[in-house]
């Protein structure tokens, strides 16, 4: 959650705290040999993705770190995207070979497959910008090619969602209100369908152009059609689903209670659907 919110806020409200936090993460990388994703206090591997990559990439691009720190930060995030950790290691990206080679994760091989691929895309796009800043043109080119392939590999044009595919590349026939934990993390297909904040023009194109995209975005905030979601288990309703139920009368499918929706307003503004 914090890569989307906390660090940008600290840059405005408490830059001295931000500087200490960034220094702390650099030291954590030096000590562990990998950038932690969920220290508790050791690496817990509790969430998908290596989203610290986005924070370090932002610090590099925006000049929030010294030249020495930038070099260490890039070493850390480059390892996340190009390095390989052992199967027993809690660090790095799980199932990375599928994403690197095919652009998607089969749910039979890696859970949270769609969300995991999208988070890798977000991180890799940010790392590509950091690579540009540091003159690592080859790294940037590889990452942008990888991200572009992954966008195509995960976008289901028939359902207009980012959806799961089997190992042979066939689409799973799922409901657009699916919250399957095999495909999505703490959200569902409707929440993740706008998760391309690093390339809004391409996202708009996937949705059929600006007019149709903005219509979909506006409908997202007003859609209270029941059922709001299809849970991943008939016996378990997650706290995220309960929270969506509590706020849907005001926000529709916009589940601001959790991170899969934190980018949606920014995407809508960038697409010109609303004016700030």
């Amino acid at each position: 959650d914090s890569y989307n919110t906390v660090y940008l806020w600290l840059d405005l409200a408490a830059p001295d705290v931000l500087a200490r936090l960034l220094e702390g993460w650099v030291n954590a990388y030096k000590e562990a040999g990998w950038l932690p994703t969920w220290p508790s206090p050791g690496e817990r591997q509790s969430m998908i993705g290596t989203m610290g990559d986005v924070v370090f990439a932002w610090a590099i691009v925006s000049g929030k770190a010294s030249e020495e720190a930038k070099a260490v930060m890039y070493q850390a995030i480059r390892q996340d995207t190009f390095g390989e950790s052992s199967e027993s290691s809690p660090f790095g990206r799980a199932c990375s070979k599928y994403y690197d080679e095919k652009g998607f994760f089969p749910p039979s091989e890696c859970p949270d497959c769609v969300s995991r691929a999208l988070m890798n895309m977000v991180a890799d796009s940010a790392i590509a910008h950091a690579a540009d800043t540091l003159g690592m043109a080859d790294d940037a080119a590889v990452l942008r090619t990888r991200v572009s392939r992954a966008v195509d590999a995960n976008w289901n044009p028939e359902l207009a969602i980012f959806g799961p595919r089997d190992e042979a590349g066939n689409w799973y026939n799922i409901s657009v209100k699916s919250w399957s934990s095999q495909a999505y993390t703490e959200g569902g297909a409707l929440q993740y369908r706008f998760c391309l904040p690093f390339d809004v023009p391409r996202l708009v194109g996937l949705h059929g152009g600006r007019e149709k995209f903005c219509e979909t975005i506006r409908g997202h905030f007003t859609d209270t059609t029941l059922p709001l979601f299809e849970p991943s288990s008939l016996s378990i309703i997650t706290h995220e689903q309960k929270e969506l139920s509590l706020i849907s009368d005001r926000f529709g499918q916009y589940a601001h209670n959790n991170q899969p929706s934190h980018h949606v307003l920014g995407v809508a503004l960038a697409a010109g659907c609303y004016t700030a």
Side-chain angles (χ1 to χ4, degrees), residues 75-86:
Q75 184 181 51
I77 61 181
R78 190 183 192 281
Q79 179 171 253
D80 278 342
T81 190
F82 290 117
E84 290 187 17
S85 60
S86 67

Side-chain angles (χ1 to χ4, degrees), residues 48-265:
I48 61 168
T50 51
M51 308 319 292
D53 298 343
V54 179
V55 177
F56 271 14
W58 167 73
I60 291 169
V61 172
S62 60
K64 304 299 177 185
S66 67
E67 293 304 311
E68 180 182 357
K70 286 179 183 179
V72 178
M73 287 177 172
Y74 189 72
Q75 184 181 51
I77 61 181
R78 190 183 192 281
Q79 179 171 253
D80 278 342
T81 190
F82 290 117
E84 290 187 17
S85 60
S86 67
E87 290 187 9
S88 60
S89 172
F91 295 103
R93 297 180 180 179
C95 316
S96 60
K97 68 175 183 177
Y98 292 99
Y99 170 78
D100 295 347
E101 295 173 3
K102 298 183 177 183
F104 67 94
F105 298 101
S108 60
E109 299 294 333
C110 213
D112 308 278
C113 60
V114 178
S115 299
R116 193 180 298 274
L118 287 166
M119 293 302 99
N120 281 7
M121 291 182 228
V122 171
D124 281 349
S125 178
I127 297 171
H129 283 289
D132 285 335
T133 299
L134 297 177
M136 306 291 186
D138 290 346
D139 283 1
V142 170
L143 290 170
R144 290 198 169 98
T145 298
R146 181 192 290 176
V147 169
S148 182
R149 180 178 64 237
V151 172
D152 289 336
N154 288 274
W155 179 253
N156 184 328
E158 183 176 344
L159 298 179
I161 60 169
F162 291 105
R165 310 174 83 152
D166 64 23
E167 197 160 357
N170 301 307
W171 294 109
Y172 281 92
N173 184 23
I174 65 169
S175 165
V176 295
K177 293 194 174 183
S178 171
W179 279 53
S180 167
S181 59
Q182 285 297 101
Y184 305 104
T185 303
E186 298 186 356
L190 293 182
Q191 283 70 47
Y192 279 99
R193 61 182 162 167
F194 306 119
C195 192
L196 218 63
F198 55 86
D199 194 347
V200 173
R202 186 166 184 184
L203 180 65
V204 169
L206 291 174
H207 280 271
R210 181 175 174 275
E211 183 176 349
K212 189 171 182 180
F213 176 76
C214 291
E215 181 182 342
T216 302
I217 281 273
R218 294 187 185 102
H220 187 69
F221 289 97
T222 58
D223 182 7
T224 57
T225 307
L226 298 176
L228 291 171
F229 51 81
E230 291 187 5
S232 57
S233 170
L234 295 177
S235 59
I236 299 175
I237 301 296
T238 66
H239 73 84
E240 293 88 2
Q241 292 164 344
K242 292 177 182 177
E243 291 156 4
L244 174 61
S245 299
L246 291 173
I247 64 174
S248 63
D249 60 327
R250 289 164 289 171
F251 299 115
Q253 286 286 347
Y254 174 60
H256 189 67
N257 53 289
N258 209 36
Q259 71 263 27
S261 289
H262 287 169
H263 61 281
V264 176
L265 287 173

